[in-house]
Amino acid sequence: MTRLEPQSWMSAPETRKLMDALGEARFVGGAVRNALLGRPVADVDVATPLTPGEVQRKLTAAGIAVVPTGIDHGTVTVVVDGKPFEVTTLRRDVETDGRHAVVAFTGDWAEDARRRDFTMNALYADSSGEVFDHVGGVEDLKTGRVRFVGDAVTRIREDYLRILRLFRFHAWYGKGEIDAAALRAAAAEKSGIAKLSGERVAKEMLRLLEAEKPAPVLRLMASSGILGEVLPDRLQIARLESLAGIDAANFFAPDALLRLAALLPHDVKTAALVGERWKLSNAARARLEDAAGSSEKIVAYLSIREVRKLLYRLGMQPFKDRLFLNWADDPKAGMQWRALLAMADAWTRPVFPLTGRDVMRAGVPEGPLVGRVLGEVEEWWVDSDFTDDEFSLAERLKAVVQAVVY
Ligand code: ATP
Ligand code: MG
């Protein structure tokens, strides 16, 4: 029998309250898998033989709020004293079209295990920590084998997202070679990926990119022709690999979007196409396109003065993105890059001391000229390393007004 080591997320009062209210319920999926590995557990999923209606009744009676987020699939989101959980009724997939499933509820734990994607994701644990393994997931987890529950081709045809999930989980939990049968099936079925929504593709791929070492898996996806289904050509896998190495060496939390920016070619159009295909948020698209089109030279030996200037012109995020991408291209200068990063972190944006009113007071009539004069003086002010000397600012203003107005 396998038993989980004591887990803080299991003994947390919110978790206990939920499990007590449900009565019949077990933890499932990532929480159990990561607990067995001793890795951090982010979100806690719960499986139960209770129907969604019964879940709703029992939890409401216990004073717990229930949101029917995916009620057609038997999933409700519950929030216990501020902590969210997903509670899903045991189910089997009755009908699938490669993207969606029509489901039937069941009281059978083993049946629920068989509809899950990989054996290591089909593990359950009760409130006492006892683990229930219907598909040999504990053994696969130990050996780092990401294996489909059942026949790989069949499981992929039910939901093509599982191809991307195979690589995502292999990047995070795989040891040694990827499962041969799974890889063969994924390569043979790759054209089905085109059916998937951009949002689902993005979610899996960004999680994959967040792995400690995403590059070897991306190379495997490239050589099996799968990467081309979700990303353009001319990818810079070596640059991404370098960035991931920098993150690991410095204990930086991986930033999925920055890693994507490192991977994409230096070309705004391509970045825009990926943003569109992946249905990224406007902010995410802007960030990717900005990084892909950047032309400023950020070198490891910039002076503090140059750093201040760039930060003021670009803003914090674009500056840091450029810094990291250049760091990835030149990883040997680690000490200097870290110093630049520290300079950026210590920076606060100076406020340009002049306003339109000062410009008008200097004799410029209200209108577009005011902004032009202001811009000219601001540029000089930035070049002066943000001088706070009022006299020289006033002199400069006078000189610009002379030149522009008269
Ligand atoms: P993570 O820690 O990255 O969240 P996870 O295992 O919790 O990992 P999720 O994507 O949150 O992954 O899915 C939760 C569980 O739901 C999985 O462990 C798996 O059992 C099941 N699952 C999710 N997506 C699929 C799918 N497309 N096909 C089959 N089972 C799936
Ligand atoms: Mg999860």
Side-chain angles (χ1 to χ4, degrees):
M1 195 187 85
T2 312
R3 191 174 279 284
L4 299 182
E5 300 284 320
Q7 303 282 318
S8 57
W9 57 269
M10 272 176 75
S11 54
E14 299 85 7
T15 312
R16 304 204 70 107
K17 186 166 162 187
L18 172 68
M19 296 304 269
D20 287 346
L22 287 170
E24 281 176 280
R26 290 173 186 173
F27 306 109
V28 66
V32 180
R33 180 194 65 225
N34 287 18
L36 280 166
L37 289 174
R39 294 207 201 177
V41 167
D43 41 36
V44 179
D45 294 324
V46 171
T48 176
L50 303 172
T51 65
E54 288 170 323
V55 169
Q56 206 144 3
R57 258 193 312 283
K58 284 203 175 189
L59 295 187
T60 312
I64 297 170
V66 180
V67 190
T69 36
I71 198 83
D72 291 349
H73 294 94
T75 301
V76 298
T77 301
V78 303
V79 184
V80 190
D81 301 330
K83 239 181 127 171
F85 298 84
E86 303 241 296
V87 179
T88 304
T89 299
L90 303 187
R91 61 177 230 217
R92 75 188 129 84
D93 296 339
V94 188
E95 225 183 277
T96 51
D97 66 356
R99 294 183 292 174
H100 312 101
V102 177
V103 311
F105 301 132
T106 170
D108 185 349
W109 293 94
E111 203 166 26
D112 187 73
R114 285 195 294 274
R115 65 95 179 164
R116 294 181 183 270
D117 45 10
F118 305 107
T119 58
M120 63 174 64
N121 287 349
L123 299 170
Y124 305 78
D126 67 16
S127 298
S128 77
E130 183 176 349
V131 174
F132 301 87
D133 178 7
H134 304 277
V135 289
V138 172
E139 186 55 31
D140 286 339
L141 189 60
K142 263 189 210 143
T143 56
R145 183 164 171 228
V146 182
R147 190 165 61 87
F148 279 102
V149 178
D151 174 60
V153 172
T154 311
R155 300 313 311 282
I156 287 172
R157 286 184 181 161
E158 291 168 358
D159 180 2
Y160 290 97
L161 191 72
R162 290 173 187 159
I163 295 178
L164 303 181
R165 287 175 66 84
L166 168 69
F167 293 99
R168 191 249 276 197
F169 287 105
H170 184 65
W172 278 82
Y173 306 103
K175 289 188 206 130
E177 300 276 292
I178 198 165
D179 182 68
L183 179 61
R184 231 179 297 119
E189 298 297 322
K190 66 174 199 268
S191 60
I193 292 172
K195 292 188 195 196
L196 300 171
S197 73
E199 290 86 346
R200 293 185 83 206
V201 168
K203 197 164 165 244
E204 284 308 321
M205 290 304 295
L206 291 171
R207 284 290 283 153
L208 190 163
L209 288 171
E210 282 178 336
E212 196 178 325
K213 289 182 177 165
V217 171
L218 288 172
R219 290 202 180 93
L220 195 56
M221 290 177 77
S223 64
S224 52
I226 292 164
L227 199 57
E229 297 289 328
V230 288
L231 282 170
D233 301 333
R234 297 180 292 127
L235 294 175
Q236 308 192 63
I237 298 183
R239 179 159 78 152
L240 166 71
E241 187 164 42
S242 172
L243 177 63
I246 290 164
D247 286 342
N250 294 280
F251 304 101
F252 296 146
D255 178 334
L257 214 56
L258 178 63
R259 287 187 173 189
L260 177 59
L263 181 61
L264 293 180
H266 191 84
D267 155 22
V268 180
K269 263 199 196 131
T270 307
L273 280 174
V274 173
E276 175 57 30
R277 167 67 177 115
W278 289 19
K279 294 280 171 278
L280 298 178
S281 70
N282 288 337
R285 288 185 205 203
R287 189 177 166 202
L288 268 190
E289 289 170 33
D290 171 72
S294 63
S295 55
E296 300 80 8
K297 199 167 151 59
I298 295 201
V299 289
Y301 47 82
L302 285 184
S303 68
I304 177 83
R305 225 184 127 127
E306 291 167 305
V307 169
R308 279 197 285 264
K309 201 160 143 177
L310 277 165
L311 275 164
Y312 188 81
R313 294 216 160 115
L314 295 168
M316 184 63 91
Q317 177 89 76
F319 176 84
K320 280 194 176 175
D321 285 354
R322 284 164 178 72
L323 189 160
F324 278 113
L325 295 177
N326 283 285
W327 187 345
D329 284 332
D330 176 21
K332 289 180 306 300
M335 286 260 283
Q336 284 166 299
W337 291 117
R338 272 191 297 276
L340 280 196
L341 196 60
M343 288 181 207
D345 284 328
W347 179 76
T348 46
R349 189 181 177 82
V351 180
F352 182 47
L354 298 186
T355 66
R357 286 184 41 185
D358 299 309
V359 176
M360 286 189 280
R361 233 181 267 135
V364 181
E366 195 167 348
L369 264 189
V370 173
R372 226 185 99 198
V373 169
L374 206 56
E376 294 272 339
V377 182
E378 186 180 18
E379 210 166 293
W380 169 85
W381 173 71
V382 173
D383 282 334
S384 80
D385 199 23
F386 311 96
T387 182
D388 52 7
D389 176 11
E390 284 169 31
F391 180 74
S392 49
L393 260 168
E395 284 295 298
R396 186 69 188 191
L397 174 59
K398 234 188 278 171
V400 173
V401 170
Q402 286 281 340
V404 171
V405 181
Y406 304 106

